[in-house]
Amino acid sequence: MTQNELYVPKGASTNAQYTVDIDPKRAGWTHSSLRIVELAAGGTHTFTSGDSEWIVLPLEGGCTVRTGTEEFQLLGRESVFAGVSDFAYVPRDAQASIASGAGGRFALAGAKCERRLPARYGPAPEVPVEDRGSGTQLRHVRNFASADAFDCDKLIAVEVVTPGGNWSSYPPHKHDEHRPGVEAELEEIYYFEIDGPNGFGYQRVSPSREGGSDVLAEVRSGDAVLVPDGWHGPSVAQPGHDMYYLNVMAGPGETREWRICFHPDHTEGYR
């Protein structure tokens, strides 16, 4: 895919309901979706999950999520840079609503799936957090819906905060082939927010095959980058401005797993 198809600047996928709305049709793939909804104080948003499972993740503010007979109070957070948030899982074939007394912004990370799992609450204290890399390659990973942290049918989702001046998504890696035990085929969305006014970062996706995905994008808050295939990384944060991204992944594999292959030309010296 071309740079114009892979880079989704803020506002490019906005509609009457969502400030970001990336579904399989928009992305040109089969599974992964991302929506961002903004609610004013006292606002409510209702949606039908359809053939996909969804996680409602507060980016800013708290909310109440209702689906079927379940109701989940999400405390949320002041911003994505303030720490881990609690979240709610909405199964496929369900009606759901998000209501916020004080208002806020909420991500809906989704994946087309087959099994209908129960609606559940994800407590913030149970989210595994890890520091990955060191020095200028250090980043903080919040594995709230990684394959081994929270049960979904297809959806994998994590958050990463990269300190200003650092690189993450490094070494460049890929997951665009089905190779059992080695690599899983996963479509991926990067959604970015930058701490502070006028902050920016860079995201690279390079071809892993002839004619494959190729993009170098300057990203700002509200931008997204699609990764249907290819080596992705590095993600580079402007000095003085921490960079956040939400990764949403899913694919056609029978098993839900995150298996990646590192670029052989960029592993030397990795810490």
Side-chain angles (χ1 to χ4, degrees):
M1 298 177 71
T2 67
Q3 171 142 336
N4 287 340
E5 294 171 308
L6 294 172
Y7 170 54
V8 185
K10 181 179 180 179
S13 64
T14 298
N15 57 39
Q17 291 185 301
Y18 303 110
T19 58
V20 173
D21 190 1
I22 298 170
D23 61 10
K25 183 178 180 180
R26 164 67 176 81
W29 55 39
T30 58
H31 285 81
S32 299
S33 296
L34 175 66
R35 300 167 175 171
I36 307 293
V37 60
E38 296 186 359
L39 296 179
T44 300
H45 172 67
T46 60
F47 67 97
T48 301
S49 61
D51 62 2
S52 297
E53 58 188 347
W54 298 88
I55 284 180
V56 179
L57 177 73
L59 302 177
E60 179 181 341
C63 65
T64 301
V65 177
R66 297 181 179 89
T67 180
T69 60
E70 300 287 350
E71 179 176 299
F72 308 110
Q73 300 288 339
L74 304 188
L75 296 177
R77 53 192 165 181
E78 293 183 3
S79 79
V80 296
F81 299 101
V84 174
S85 178
D86 50 359
F87 59 94
Y89 175 88
V90 176
R92 62 168 291 163
D93 302 318
Q95 295 280 341
S97 67
I98 305 169
S100 180
R105 294 184 302 112
F106 308 95
L108 282 71
K112 185 177 179 180
C113 66
E114 298 171 2
R115 293 188 299 148
R116 190 177 194 273
L117 303 179
R120 279 160 292 141
Y121 173 71
E126 295 183 11
V127 173
V129 178
E130 63 173 312
D131 287 345
R132 195 174 294 168
S134 62
T136 55
Q137 299 162 18
L138 175 69
R139 61 275 202 184
H140 313 295
V141 185
R142 304 164 181 165
N143 292 299
F144 70 96
S146 62
D148 56 356
F150 187 82
D151 189 29
C152 299
D153 186 33
K154 295 290 186 181
L155 177 64
I156 298 172
V158 303
E159 299 179 301
V160 179
V161 176
T162 306
N166 281 15
W167 283 24
S168 61
S169 255
Y170 190 82
H173 56 283
K174 74 181 186 76
H175 39 67
D176 56 13
E177 295 181 83
H178 175 61
R179 296 189 293 159
V182 177
E183 185 176 350
E185 183 181 353
L186 296 168
E187 311 152 350
E188 185 164 11
I189 302 168
Y190 279 69
Y191 167 77
F192 295 90
E193 296 199 3
I194 312 296
D195 191 23
N198 304 314
F200 62 88
Y202 289 93
Q203 177 66 40
R204 180 73 171 114
V205 182
S206 55
S208 60
R209 61 189 73 162
E210 185 175 353
S213 298
D214 193 352
V215 62
L216 174 59
E218 182 175 293
V219 293
R220 300 176 184 272
S221 290
D223 292 354
V225 170
L226 310 181
V227 187
D229 60 79
W231 304 104
H232 37 295
S235 305
V236 182
Q238 178 190 12
H241 296 267
D242 292 352
M243 179 171 70
Y244 163 95
Y245 51 84
L246 169 62
N247 289 142
V248 180
M249 294 168 274
E254 292 185 5
T255 58
R256 175 178 172 254
E257 55 184 352
W258 185 68
R259 291 190 180 274
I260 64 172
C261 176
F262 288 115
H263 196 303
D265 295 342
H266 298 285
T267 54
E268 184 175 354
Y270 173 67
R271 296 174 290 169

